[in-house]
């Protein structure tokens, strides 16, 4: 049913992919190979009334070839609520798909890879949050979106890289102490921006992202020497030494906006490699140097496993959240939407 019918259909798809900026080869694979898969996926999406959410760390073939809702964690969560499709296929990691399910309980949500976890999400449990709350009674829990539904359910408000500082600032209007989990580096960066003392007014958890914790701040100096005028941007999950050495810190959405609104001779992107690949496609006239690392979880999603999920999903690929946990987690997510981006 979903087979690409003839050569001219395939050529049309190749042309479409080329015109949106995919090169004739992506990661050593020909555009013809890619087009065969994207054309089948795009047909199946229509037949099955499905929509594809794609995080900006996904490979360009997924973002540009089959993505319908594309963005950072905030945008994907917010926009998943506006689709009329019955099914959401999530090209990102498990906590993102789970968030989409919590926000859209009536829809079917699938994750194409069972390996698409996240070190931050896996580094904390609901019980850990319950213990933190008992140790710091009255302190609200602001939880980074990179967490499980169970952790979200024990939280007062969810934040993303796009709104954490703004939401914490609002919480500090009414509270002296806040619990922020699970990313210790983001927590330390927030404490610095907000003028708060970690361990005293901002209680942190010892979680980290396996991609962002390993960047080397010393290399930034070398890049600056080799590329005069370069502007360095780092994700807020990076350690403080990296953040102190760059010109801009933010989430992936903020980084793309910054690039759009500025005119540097070149940009050094310190984050997962997918953002640099996307930036090159979105801003073909700008120069990018990627000091990047791959996220093995994000990169476990492929065109092949997306196609297989659409054709014949395995029961384990469907995201389900018990109703009582989903209700509590949704309250914390709604609080985020209320406090704004
Ligand atoms: P963003 O919300 O900034 O896209 O971050 C998601 C993430 O997983 C970063 O590692
Ligand atoms: Fe999680 Fe880090 Fe991968 Fe983002 S880049 S999904 S925080 S492991």
């Amino acid at each position: 049913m979903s087979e690409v019918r003839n050569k001219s259909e395939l050529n049309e798809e190749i042309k479409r992919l080329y015109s949106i900026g995919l090169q004739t080869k992506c990661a050593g694979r020909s555009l013809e190979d890619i087009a065969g898969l994207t054309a089948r996926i795009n047909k199946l999406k229509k037949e099955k009334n499905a929509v594809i959410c794609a995080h900006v760390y996904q490979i360009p073939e997924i973002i540009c070839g089959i993505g319908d809702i594309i963005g950072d964690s905030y945008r994907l969560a917010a926009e998943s609520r506006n689709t009329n499709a019955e099914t959401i296929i999530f090209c990102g990691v498990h906590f993102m798909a789970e968030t989409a399910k919590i926000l859209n309980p009536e829809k079917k949500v699938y994750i194409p890879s069972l390996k698409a976890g996240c070190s931050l999400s896996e580094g904390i449990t609901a019980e850990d949050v319950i213990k933190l709350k008992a140790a710091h009674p009255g302190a609200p829990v602001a939880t980074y979106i990179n967490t499980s539904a169970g952790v979200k359910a024990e939280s007062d408000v969810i934040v993303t890289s796009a709104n954490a500082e703004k939401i914490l600032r609002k919480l500090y209007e009414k509270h002296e102490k806040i619990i922020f989990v699970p990313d210790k580096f983001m927590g330390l960066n927030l404490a610095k921006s907000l003028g708060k003392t970690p361990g005293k007014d901002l209680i942190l958890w010892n979680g980290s992202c396996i991609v962002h914790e390993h960047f080397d701040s010393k290399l930034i100096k070398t890049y600056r020497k080799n590329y005069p005028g370069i502007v360095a941007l780092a994700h807020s999950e990076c350690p403080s030494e990296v953040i102190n050495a760059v010109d801009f810190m933010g989430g992936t959405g903020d980084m793309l906006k910054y690039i759009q609104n500025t005119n540097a001779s070149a940009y050094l992107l310190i984050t997962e490699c997918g953002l640099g690949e996307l930036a090159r496609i979105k801003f073909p006239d700008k120069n990018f140097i990627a000091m990047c690392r791959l996220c093995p979880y994000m990169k476990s999603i492929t065109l092949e496993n997306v196609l297989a999920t659409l054709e014949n999903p395995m029961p384990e690929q469907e995201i389900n959240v018990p109703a009582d946990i989903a209700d509590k987690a949704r309250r914390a997510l709604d609080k985020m939407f209320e406090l704004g981006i």
Side-chain angles (χ1 to χ4, degrees):
M1 215 171 18
S2 64
E3 290 301 318
V4 179
R5 274 196 307 273
N6 52 44
K7 191 81 186 154
S8 80
E9 216 173 327
L10 185 66
N11 284 338
E12 278 308 303
E13 181 65 357
I14 294 171
K15 261 198 248 156
R16 184 185 76 85
L17 294 178
Y18 191 75
S19 73
I20 54 182
L22 290 189
Q23 292 153 359
T24 46
K25 261 193 180 175
C26 275
R29 204 173 191 193
S30 75
L31 218 45
E32 182 163 350
D33 273 3
I34 294 166
L37 289 160
T38 55
R40 283 171 71 190
I41 291 170
N42 287 328
K43 269 188 164 191
L44 262 181
K45 271 193 324 198
K46 282 198 196 122
E47 286 169 18
K48 302 218 168 178
N49 192 14
V51 75
I52 292 188
C53 286
H55 185 263
V56 291
Y57 290 162
Q58 292 293 298
I59 52 174
E61 302 91 294
I62 288 183
I63 299 184
C64 305
I66 58 169
D68 300 301
I69 301 174
I70 296 154
D72 62 2
S73 307
Y74 180 86
R75 184 156 177 208
L76 293 172
E79 291 191 12
S80 73
R81 300 174 304 167
N82 304 332
T83 174
N84 293 323
E86 284 162 30
T87 299
I88 297 174
I89 307 287
F90 215 106
C91 295
V93 290
H94 188 273
F95 77 80
M96 296 178 177
E98 200 175 53
T99 302
K101 179 66 184 178
I102 293 164
L103 294 170
N104 300 279
E106 73 296 347
K107 294 192 195 302
K108 285 203 171 286
V109 178
Y110 294 100
I111 183 106
S113 164
L114 302 181
K115 293 185 186 146
C118 167
S119 63
L120 277 169
S121 181
E122 282 150 27
I124 188 165
T125 64
E127 287 67 38
D128 294 327
V129 181
I130 292 169
K131 281 186 196 150
L132 278 173
K133 288 198 283 190
H136 303 279
V141 181
T143 293
Y144 192 33
I145 197 163
N146 296 38
T147 43
S148 67
V151 166
K152 287 187 177 77
E154 292 302 328
S155 309
D156 295 288
V157 59
I158 304 306
V159 304
T160 75
S161 59
N163 56 27
E165 188 177 325
K166 182 174 177 189
I167 290 179
L168 262 64
R169 220 176 266 288
K170 284 197 181 161
L171 291 181
Y172 276 121
E173 286 170 9
K174 292 195 182 140
H175 301 270
E176 280 183 6
K177 182 160 68 169
I178 296 171
I179 299 168
F180 175 76
V181 296
D183 189 341
K184 71 172 171 211
F185 293 126
M186 184 178 281
L188 292 169
N189 295 330
L190 281 166
K192 188 170 178 215
S193 309
L194 295 164
K196 302 291 174 187
T197 310
K200 184 172 160 269
D201 340 272
L202 191 60
I203 306 303
L204 301 178
W205 183 253
N206 193 17
S208 59
C209 159
I210 54 160
V211 173
H212 291 94
E213 69 184 340
H214 292 299
F215 286 115
D216 180 359
S217 60
K218 292 191 274 314
L219 270 179
I220 301 169
K221 261 197 198 139
T222 313
Y223 278 109
R224 288 199 193 278
K225 221 192 268 164
N226 293 347
Y227 300 93
I230 198 167
V231 166
L233 289 75
H235 196 279
S236 38
E237 290 172 7
C238 291
S240 323
E241 315 86 76
V242 173
I243 299 302
N244 292 340
V246 298
D247 304 290
F248 179 81
M249 162 187 87
T252 56
D254 303 313
M255 289 164 96
L256 287 173
K257 248 181 258 158
Y258 184 97
I259 295 164
Q260 184 166 18
N261 297 332
T262 55
N263 242 326
S265 58
Y267 297 89
L268 177 64
L269 300 182
I270 306 171
T271 188
E272 211 277 345
C273 304
L275 196 77
E277 289 186 277
L278 180 61
R280 283 190 185 91
I281 292 173
K282 274 175 87 75
F283 308 109
D285 299 332
K286 301 196 179 199
N287 299 312
F288 298 97
I289 315 286
M291 183 170 148
C292 73
R293 293 172 57 89
L294 292 169
C295 172
Y297 306 109
M298 285 281 181
K299 266 32 187 197
S300 69
I301 310 279
T302 61
L303 287 173
E304 283 81 356
N305 57 32
V306 173
L307 180 60
T309 310
L310 272 163
E311 279 175 338
N312 191 16
M314 293 187 287
E316 315 86 89
Q317 289 174 316
E318 182 171 358
I319 306 285
N320 283 303
V321 183
D324 54 334
I325 292 183
D327 289 347
K328 286 170 77 185
R330 195 177 311 111
R331 242 174 275 150
L333 281 159
D334 285 344
K335 191 78 190 162
M336 168 178 80
F337 292 124
E338 180 197 317
L339 294 178
I341 189 151

